[in-house]
């Protein structure tokens, strides 16, 4: 049986989950990102988007329950923010009519 | 000057913004998805993930301000939900130790 064909959009979603999983698996707690794991993810996966930003600062804002860990929901808030910011950037780049 | 090299993760983000923009541009209001535009997006971009689901039902849940339109923030809530659900699905698929 042929595996289902994913669209580029579905693939993007699965990729984002895969990135979280990949970096969260660095230590025994595979369901959250530690400070080091999060710093590595930001540096390696978002070098352009987070250029010059401090991962620890970003983590502080994201870590809603203040457990010094980032879970999938907190990670998703970051993705939401980033898409919102990228959208705004794209709108600003559009020639004014 | 060479354009900056995006990672796969950054490309996924930009793709999600691009998908919203593409379908929102179907009518004169380029900043939101109408019911038809949203139905088209769900059908064409998430055929597997939203298999058998009714776009109108999904829209009702997403449309927080009840204006019968989906803006970028409401769209992002959908993306957040989907990544959360995909993550849960992946965890459920993992062999229990």
């Amino acid at each position: 049986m042929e595996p289902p064909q994913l669209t580029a959009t579905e693939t993007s979603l699965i990729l984002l989950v895969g990135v979280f999983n990949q970096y969260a698996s660095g230590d025994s707690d595979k369901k959250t990102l530690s400070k080091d794991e999060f710093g590595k993810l930001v540096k390696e996966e978002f070098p352009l988007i987070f250029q010059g930003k401090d991962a620890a600062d970003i983590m502080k804002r994201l870590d809603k329950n203040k457990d010094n860990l980032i879970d999938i929901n907190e990670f998703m808030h970051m993705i939401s923010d980033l898409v919102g910011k990228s959208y705004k950037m794209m709108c600003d780049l559009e020639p004014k009519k």
Side-chain angles (χ1 to χ4, degrees), chain A residues 3 7 9 13 31 34 36 41 52 59-60 74 81 84 87 93:
Chain A
T7 64
T9 308
L13 275 181
K31 302 267 163 88
S34 64
D36 290 346
L41 184 151
M59 186 161 177
K60 234 180 252 155
E74 291 164 334
D81 281 354
Y87 176 71
L93 289 173

Side-chain angles (χ1 to χ4, degrees), chain A residues 8-96:
Chain A
T9 308
E10 288 169 324
T11 307
S12 294
L13 275 181
I14 305 299
L15 185 143
L16 290 168
V17 177
V19 161
F20 177 86
N21 263 341
Q22 176 192 335
Y23 287 85
S25 310
D27 57 17
S28 58
D29 178 351
K30 310 252 180 259
K31 302 267 163 88
T32 60
L33 294 164
S34 64
K35 194 176 172 199
D36 290 346
E37 289 169 334
F38 182 76
K40 201 164 177 263
L41 184 151
V42 163
K43 197 173 137 219
E44 293 175 2
E45 299 300 330
F46 297 101
L48 189 67
I49 287 180
F50 280 131
Q51 207 173 26
K53 295 270 182 358
D54 176 44
D57 285 347
I58 302 164
M59 186 161 177
K60 234 180 252 155
R61 265 183 294 128
L62 282 181
D63 185 14
K64 300 288 183 217
N65 59 4
K66 302 299 171 213
D67 62 354
N68 289 319
L69 296 167
I70 298 294
D71 63 28
I72 186 72
N73 296 311
E74 291 164 334
F75 178 70
M76 272 322 301
H77 275 294
M78 179 178 86
I79 299 298
S80 267
D81 281 354
L82 290 178
V83 170
K85 281 188 182 104
S86 312
Y87 176 71
K88 200 181 163 304
M89 228 166 55
M90 276 194 193
C91 292
D92 294 348
L93 289 173
E94 275 171 22
K96 299 290 170 266

